Amino acid sequence: MKVKKYTAASMPEAMKQIRAELGHDAVILNSKEVETGGLFGFFTKKSIEVIAAIDQMPQVKRPAPKPIQPKMIKQEIEPVLPKERFEKQKPGQDQEQLMKEIQQLKTLVHTISNQQQPSEKEYPEPFQQMEDQLLEQEVSKPIRLELMKHLLKKWYSTEKEEAEKLDLKKEVKAYFETMLTDVDMGGIDFSKKYINVVGPTGVGKTTTIAKIAAHSLLKKHKKVALITTDTYRIAAVEQLKTYSKILNIPFEVAYSIEDFRKAKEQFSAYDLVLVDSAGRNFRNSLYVEEIRKIIDFNDEMETYLVLALTSKYKDMKSIFEQFSLISIQKLIFTKKDETSYYGAMLNMIHDYHVGVAYITTGQNVPDDIVEADSDTIINAILEGNEHD
């Protein structure tokens, strides 16, 4: 580093000397006023003493920055900023101001991109309220979309005065009733002697069978018998045996196909035979073929699948598809009293075009079971959290 002291009449003059000798990269280390000249301390003049330095390491010559062209800036940000913003600019507009505006623009874009997108409302009120309620009830999106198309079409094709009087809840109910028109709803009609009841563990299958038996015996005055092939669950067998004693109806346990054949012969004179079947059996093609040799699935038997309304809809679909080896005529929904969300009933009917036989609303036998109909299902969805 080269260090040198300069004395001048003023700072500007000192800086002129420093730049001339050391260049523009020189650094001022110190400066102070001093007195020079005179005789015996008289007639002195005030001057500026400056100590400057320069780093003598080789300097990389930096290219002079290219001036920012307003035209280039305009081309880069014109798609974002309003066009008229630039039409008002003059060719000599201050570059510093432009750079400030560009920085503000970057900040704005960054802020917007990091904001969470607000939830968009797709429909006008009160349609959005109905959409929100059906979404809350877990009615599937395809059903909701078709419903909204129907409602909006009716709304906009109706005179304004009449449209304002439209009872939306009534219209939704009518739409769902039409949707369920061709679906077989309701309990056993006794056209088939055997009702095969299947379902996964934990859905209340055994209790439901006892309720159906009691309902058929006490209210329909039918001669009823019970068979269980679900020998994997000892507790379930004992539970059904206890119910049979209470109701005073016969009960047989079929450990094999031959046992089932004998039970069928034994109950030949009965109006209704409820079969508590192990779900795993009816996912076994060999078992299904063997049982078909004993019972005509088309003329003698209907199969009901028990599903709990506390289950996820995806799980319900998976369970239904596991029984693809046999035909499911109707569903039984259990545990309505244990949830507030009933859209899955409508979803299953829509997706698989399958009817509903019964809905259970508690553990009490022979109570807490109702024959399903469209009103029960639709009202449950539209009334939301109201339990029976």
Side-chain angles (χ1 to χ4, degrees):
M1 177 178 288
K2 182 179 180 180
V3 180
K4 191 171 181 180
K5 181 169 68 176
Y6 295 88
T7 302
S10 64
M11 179 60 79
E13 186 177 339
M15 291 300 298
K16 185 176 180 181
Q17 295 178 29
I18 293 169
R19 290 194 188 101
E21 186 171 352
L22 300 182
H24 291 277
D25 291 331
V27 179
I28 305 299
L29 299 180
N30 187 34
S31 65
K32 65 179 180 179
E33 286 187 353
V34 295
E35 292 184 344
T36 60
L39 183 64
F40 302 113
F42 296 98
F43 310 108
T44 58
K45 293 189 298 183
K46 289 185 177 181
S47 302
I48 296 293
E49 182 181 275
V50 179
I51 299 175
I54 183 68
D55 190 352
Q56 293 183 312
M57 295 293 292
Q59 300 292 319
V60 178
K61 187 176 182 181
R62 299 176 184 175
K66 294 181 179 179
I68 298 174
Q69 298 296 328
K71 184 177 181 181
M72 292 175 62
I73 297 172
K74 177 181 177 181
Q75 290 172 350
E76 290 177 3
I77 64 175
E78 192 172 17
V80 182
L81 291 179
K83 184 177 179 181
E84 58 269 35
R85 173 80 175 136
F86 293 97
E87 290 176 349
K88 297 177 181 179
Q89 293 178 356
K90 297 179 180 179
Q93 185 181 26
D94 185 73
Q95 293 179 1
E96 183 179 348
Q97 179 62 27
L98 280 174
M99 292 303 295
K100 183 179 178 181
E101 291 180 359
I102 293 172
Q103 186 59 46
Q104 290 174 345
L105 177 62
K106 287 180 179 179
T107 303
L108 177 62
V109 171
H110 178 74
T111 303
I112 293 173
S113 65
N114 283 281
Q115 285 179 346
Q116 292 183 348
Q117 293 296 324
S119 57
E120 295 182 0
K121 297 296 183 180
E122 299 179 39
Y123 308 107
E125 296 292 348
F127 296 95
Q128 188 61 48
Q129 292 180 1
M130 180 58 67
E131 162 72 7
D132 292 342
Q133 180 177 347
L134 296 178
L135 177 61
E136 175 71 13
Q137 280 293 311
E138 299 179 357
V139 175
S140 67
K141 189 171 184 178
I143 295 176
R144 300 197 319 269
L145 285 174
E146 288 303 315
L147 170 64
M148 287 301 159
K149 286 180 185 178
H150 169 79
L151 293 175
L152 289 170
K153 184 177 180 181
K154 187 164 186 176
W155 175 274
Y156 288 114
S157 62
T158 306
E159 293 294 333
K160 183 178 179 181
E161 293 77 9
E162 294 299 320
E164 290 175 353
K165 298 177 184 177
L166 196 65
D167 187 334
L168 196 58
K169 188 174 180 179
K170 185 177 179 181
E171 292 295 328
V172 172
K173 186 173 182 180
Y175 177 85
F176 285 151
E177 285 173 348
T178 302
M179 187 177 116
L180 301 179
T181 299
D182 298 330
V183 180
D184 187 10
M185 307 289 284
I188 298 169
D189 61 7
F190 304 100
S191 61
K192 305 285 180 68
K193 181 174 181 175
Y194 297 92
I195 299 297
N196 181 36
V197 184
V198 297
T201 303
V203 296
K205 177 164 65 80
T206 302
T207 304
T208 300
I209 290 172
K211 291 177 183 178
I212 296 172
H215 181 81
S216 302
L217 178 70
L218 302 175
K219 295 187 178 181
K220 303 293 183 178
H221 309 291
K222 299 296 181 179
K223 196 175 180 181
V224 182
L226 300 175
I227 299 175
T228 182
T229 66
D230 193 356
T231 56
Y232 301 97
R233 298 182 301 136
I234 304 300
V237 173
E238 291 301 317
Q239 185 182 7
L240 203 56
K241 186 177 181 179
T242 301
Y243 285 133
S244 71
K245 288 179 179 179
I246 294 171
L247 295 170
N248 194 26
I249 59 178
F251 169 68
E252 289 294 329
V253 181
Y255 292 97
S256 65
I257 296 294
E258 187 57 32
D259 289 341
F260 191 93
R261 188 191 306 276
K262 290 177 181 178
K264 182 189 177 188
E265 292 173 359
Q266 181 181 339
F267 299 143
S268 60
Y270 282 75
D271 300 315
L272 175 67
V273 179
L274 294 167
V275 183
D276 182 9
S277 294
R280 68 183 73 183
N281 286 347
F282 282 86
R283 295 194 291 272
N284 184 326
S285 58
L286 293 177
Y287 179 87
V288 172
E289 289 305 313
E290 289 298 314
I291 205 74
R292 277 177 174 158
K293 293 175 183 178
I294 301 173
I295 293 180
D296 188 325
F297 279 28
N298 294 322
D299 296 333
E300 295 182 277
M301 178 182 279
E302 284 187 339
T303 298
Y304 293 176
L305 173 61
V306 183
L307 298 170
L309 286 172
T310 52
S311 302
K312 294 179 182 178
Y313 181 56
K314 286 183 179 180
D315 293 332
M316 291 187 187
K317 291 176 66 177
S318 176
I319 292 165
F320 188 93
E321 287 160 10
Q322 286 173 8
F323 291 92
S324 58
L325 291 175
I326 56 174
S327 176
I328 303 295
Q329 276 72 44
K330 289 183 180 179
L331 303 173
I332 298 174
F333 289 109
T334 60
K335 304 188 179 184
K336 181 176 181 286
D337 57 308
E338 297 182 24
T339 183
S340 301
Y341 310 104
Y342 310 117
M345 292 191 284
L346 198 62
N347 298 343
M348 289 297 297
I349 296 169
H350 176 269
D351 290 353
Y352 296 101
H353 200 72
V354 61
V356 182
Y358 298 98
I359 300 171
T360 72
T361 58
Q363 295 295 317
N364 296 324
V365 178
D367 302 318
D368 297 342
I369 187 170
V370 296
E371 293 191 39
D373 57 34
S374 58
D375 280 348
T376 302
I377 294 172
I378 295 168
N379 289 338
I381 293 169
L382 295 182
E383 290 168 10
N385 298 335
E386 296 180 14
H387 289 150
D388 291 345

